[in-house]
Amino acid sequence: MRPWKHIVFGAMLGLVVLVACARQAEVSPTTAPTPIPQAAPVAATTAPPDDRALAAFQKGGCGACHVIPGVPNARGTIGPDLTNVAQVAAQTMQSSTYTGNATTVEAYLREAILEPDVFVAPDCNGSPCQKGVMPPSLGQGLSEEELAAVIAYLQAPPGAAEAVVTEAPTAAPSEAAPTLSEDEFAWAKLVYFERCAGCHGTLRKGATGPALTPDRTIPLGAVGLSTIIYNGTSRGMPDWGKQGFFTKEQIEVLARFLQREPPAPPELPMERMKASWKMYVAPDQRPTAPQTKRNWQNYFVVTLRDAGQVAVIDGDTYEVVSKVDSGYAVHITRMSATGRYAYVIGRDGKLAMIDLWTETPAKVAEVQVCYDARSVEVSKYNGPEGDFTDKLAVVGCYWPPHFVILDGQTLEPIHIVSTRGYTVDTMEYHPEPRVASIVASDFKPEWIINVKEIGQIWLVNYANPQAPQIKMLPAARFLHDGGWDATHRYFLVAANQSNKVAVVDAQEGRMVALVDTPKIPHPGRGTNWVDPEFGPVWSSGHLGDPAIVSIGTDPEGHPDVAWKAVRVTPLPGAGSLFIKTHPNSKWIWVDMTLNSDPVLARTICVIAKENPAEPHTCWEASSYGRAVHFEYNAAGTEVWVSIWGDASKPGETGEIVVYDDATLTEKARIPNLVTPTGKFNVYNTVRDIY
């Protein structure tokens, strides 16, 4: 075991110290939140020692950050696992890396509580521990009796067999949910939907992130929940407080909101969809040829997340050609089969259609087909069964759980298909199976639609959009994002919380394989390249492990390694969101955007295809924010990287860095963009080049 000094608590009795300097988020409660009632003092003089320690752990919300043996609900991943803290303490004090003053285990633990930054653990569940996460003020919040009880408990905790309570106990009847004012409730409901539902589910029953129902959140308490919201986790949850998205008061409101029963979200029938439909320019009024002299096929459509816009940027000149209002927090942009139109889907379920042929790109139609969405695709098939080029579009929704087929030229909604159903493993009914990624097949008039929570991959034949034929393939739960192999015959999609990648043969319409991977694969579209040892592969980064996994994709030329994880390339840290290459490139680019270490979060790495055993080089792309998402220009000679900043901080809102792919040198920066995220080059997106 690697030596470390435990940041013994994630307790946030000192939360004021941690979040007092957090910047005000753009959305605020309309009234000042009421303070969280303080826990009653522990009756240390009458309770048995173990009971005193357990009460102190609960008082401090320590289980929100740590695994603590024998402590109910202590499953935190922000700080180190405390199961063997006494043994590790003894090892650490003998290590040359130890910078504290303790000479006994008892003194070591006391020092860790009262002076946590004297020595900071090098490893917190796969990520570097950070100074300041464990506030020194914790010691001031514990009585001497409580402190002594905690130290004694950690020196002799229960055995491994009873160490961790893996399921959260049901909240005791006496544990009532805290109150919220009407304004606080309305604000928290909106913020949860915009920022949290994507991982935890609209009904708060869990998805990529854990369930946040009252039976789980009340035992954690407002202090424990506030800890997690502020610090994030090593498994990919953003550190909302550290980033300045929320103030101390706002975090407290959210923590209290999460202890209440989830409000029932509304459905969205066809009548209301059509009421939101707007067509600004009819198809017969649009130009029949490009009106711009710019190289529109080298446009980049860039998400400006917190501005509610996309920017259309000229890839030749780096000029912002147009900024177009779109839905909130645009997730992706997909191009029509011809490349003329950009279909932009926001997390609020608003779909915008932008004509790139006009001198200044602008919306020609828009519609809202759900309240929460992540995916959009168009019809691309042109073959014996007909020409469906750009005739239809489809939007996959998180809430309501359905997908909607639309007219591809006007965005008029045509048909709604519910995705509610039964999970592939336990055959248990799920009320919220959300639609994740969607791709269009070249072999048939089909979309491949991934139904996240139930773990089914649907092959949806859209030849008759009013009555689509659906073939349901069982895969693995928590399907998320993915992309084609180099031949565009096989689709590979991450089942992230199942730690698997599912492979579908689009030509034959069947499942090919389920490939085991490191923790929480998150490939984006993934990336295709030729490994010097294993031949053609497709690769993914991971949120939960510092690694890239490469899967063999050549069943004819390399049958022995086809659909197997053939190589794992280590990275400096976990938290990778995107990976990218180009057929003309000798590099693979990867980010670590959601790493808890701010330096790693803005660091990018490149791996040489000829030597993929380890990164060739890594560097910080910026002095602030997070580096995220890569996209090549049409020629495959440049790589564009987003710097995701803070919309409320002038000069650090965000920018795009342009690198020469051959030399890895910086060519240009496109400054003053508001939280730029995904960038979609027209030429590459149409052709699925990644």
Side-chain angles (χ1 to χ4, degrees), residues 311-489:
V312 180
I313 301 179
D314 188 324
D316 294 340
T317 66
Y318 311 143
E319 295 175 274
V320 177
V321 180
S322 177
K323 289 184 180 179
V324 182
D325 291 337
S326 58
Y328 165 78
V330 167
H331 193 66
I332 61 167
T333 296
R334 289 290 174 257
M335 308 303 168
S336 63
T338 60
R340 172 180 183 168
Y341 296 112
Y343 295 82
V344 178
I345 187 67
R347 293 195 176 200
D348 55 3
K350 291 181 180 178
L351 177 64
M353 181 181 181
I354 302 171
D355 190 348
L356 301 177
W357 278 10
T358 54
E359 182 60 37
T360 301
K363 280 188 295 188
V364 293
E366 68 179 1
V367 67
Q368 183 174 23
V369 295
C370 36
Y371 299 112
D372 192 4
R374 295 294 187 279
S375 54
V376 62
E377 185 57 286
V378 296
S379 56
K380 296 181 177 179
Y381 175 78
N382 183 4
E385 298 184 55
D387 184 359
F388 293 89
T389 304
D390 295 352
K391 287 187 176 180
L392 298 168
V394 61
V395 172
C397 298
Y398 270 26
W399 188 270
H402 63 218
F403 65 85
V404 183
I405 301 174
L406 310 98
D407 185 296
Q409 294 293 305
T410 68
L411 298 191
E412 180 180 9
I414 296 173
H415 190 66
I416 306 170
V417 178
S418 173
T419 55
R420 291 179 169 100
Y422 291 83
T423 60
V424 296
D425 47 4
T426 61
M427 298 303 293
E428 176 184 1
Y429 179 75
H430 199 293
E432 191 187 357
R434 301 171 295 175
V435 177
S437 53
I438 305 175
V439 296
S441 172
D442 291 330
F443 296 99
K444 304 170 187 176
E446 281 185 348
W447 290 307
I448 299 178
I449 294 181
N450 299 280
V451 188
K452 192 179 182 86
E453 279 72 23
I454 61 175
Q456 291 182 354
I457 299 173
W458 290 9
L459 308 183
V460 179
N461 188 300
Y462 52 72
N464 180 358
Q466 294 282 6
Q469 296 180 357
I470 302 175
K471 182 178 183 179
M472 301 177 181
L473 302 179
R477 295 186 68 186
F478 310 113
L479 297 164
H480 193 56
D481 53 0
W484 295 105
D485 79 313
T487 69
H488 293 178
R489 173 175 173 173

Side-chain angles (χ1 to χ4, degrees), residues 3 97 117 134 175 191 225 407 459 533 573 651:
T97 61
D117 286 345
M134 167 69 187
E175 295 180 284
V191 168
L225 291 167
D407 185 296
L459 308 183
E533 183 177 353

Side-chain angles (χ1 to χ4, degrees), residues 557-579:
H558 297 77
D560 292 344
V561 297
W563 319 128
K564 297 177 181 178
V566 295
R567 184 183 296 278
V568 175
T569 305
L571 293 174
S576 175
L577 282 179
F578 297 103
I579 186 170

Side-chain angles (χ1 to χ4, degrees), residues 226-295:
S226 295
T227 303
I228 298 171
I229 296 169
Y230 181 85
N231 288 295
T233 72
S234 61
R235 293 176 62 84
M237 177 174 166
D239 46 352
W240 297 112
K242 285 183 178 179
Q243 292 186 48
F245 277 103
F246 303 123
T247 65
K248 168 185 174 291
E249 291 78 16
Q250 290 170 330
I251 287 173
E252 290 174 341
V253 171
L254 284 171
R256 285 186 280 131
F257 171 80
L258 293 175
Q259 295 174 80
R260 300 177 63 85
E261 288 293 335
E267 302 291 334
L268 187 58
M270 178 65 78
E271 180 182 10
R272 250 189 285 171
M273 292 182 194
K274 289 196 172 183
S276 73
W277 173 45
K278 298 175 183 177
M279 188 165 58
Y280 300 111
V281 184
D284 61 1
Q285 300 298 311
R286 299 170 194 168
T288 57
Q291 302 299 294
T292 179
K293 294 182 180 179
R294 294 178 183 271
N295 180 11

Side-chain angles (χ1 to χ4, degrees), residues 9-273:
F9 299 108
M12 294 303 289
L13 292 174
L15 183 63
V16 174
V17 175
L18 284 175
V19 302
C21 59
R23 298 181 294 278
Q24 178 73 24
E26 288 187 288
V27 182
S28 302
T30 54
T31 59
T34 54
I36 300 173
Q38 296 298 308
V42 178
T45 57
T46 59
D50 275 5
D51 287 350
R52 267 182 276 153
L54 293 174
F57 285 131
Q58 184 175 17
K59 175 182 176 180
C62 308
C65 281
H66 298 282
V67 171
I68 310 174
V71 177
N73 216 41
R75 306 188 305 274
T77 59
I78 296 171
D81 185 330
L82 302 185
T83 302
N84 298 303
V85 61
Q87 296 92 316
V88 175
Q91 292 176 352
T92 301
M93 287 185 292
Q94 301 300 316
S95 169
S96 61
T97 61
Y98 175 57
T99 56
N101 301 307
T103 56
T104 66
V105 170
E106 179 181 354
Y108 179 97
L109 294 172
R110 181 176 290 270
E111 181 184 74
I113 297 171
L114 300 178
E115 301 176 273
D117 286 345
V118 168
F119 176 77
V120 178
D123 178 58
C124 282
N125 296 288
S127 298
C129 299
Q130 302 295 309
K131 283 190 175 184
V133 173
M134 167 69 187
S137 54
L138 173 63
Q140 301 170 7
L142 295 176
S143 68
E144 181 57 38
E145 290 84 359
E146 290 169 333
L147 183 61
V150 163
I151 292 172
Y153 184 96
L154 291 174
Q155 289 183 86
E162 51 182 315
V164 181
V165 179
T166 56
E167 291 296 327
T170 301
S174 61
E175 295 180 284
T179 59
L180 290 169
S181 71
E182 289 185 10
D183 287 337
E184 288 172 339
F185 186 85
W187 175 84
K189 177 181 175 181
L190 175 63
V191 168
Y192 177 84
F193 188 77
E194 291 181 341
R195 300 284 185 183
C196 313
C199 286
H200 298 282
T202 303
L203 302 177
R204 302 210 324 243
K205 293 184 179 295
T208 304
L212 295 175
T213 45
D215 60 315
R216 291 175 175 266
T217 56
I218 288 178
L220 281 174
V223 172
L225 291 167
S226 295
T227 303
I228 298 171
I229 296 169
Y230 181 85
N231 288 295
T233 72
S234 61
R235 293 176 62 84
M237 177 174 166
D239 46 352
W240 297 112
K242 285 183 178 179
Q243 292 186 48
F245 277 103
F246 303 123
T247 65
K248 168 185 174 291
E249 291 78 16
Q250 290 170 330
I251 287 173
E252 290 174 341
V253 171
L254 284 171
R256 285 186 280 131
F257 171 80
L258 293 175
Q259 295 174 80
R260 300 177 63 85
E261 288 293 335
E267 302 291 334
L268 187 58
M270 178 65 78
E271 180 182 10
R272 250 189 285 171
M273 292 182 194

Side-chain angles (χ1 to χ4, degrees), residues 4 121 125 135 222 249 257 310 524 619 643:
W4 39 261
N125 296 288
E249 291 78 16
F257 171 80
V310 292
W619 69 93
I643 304 302

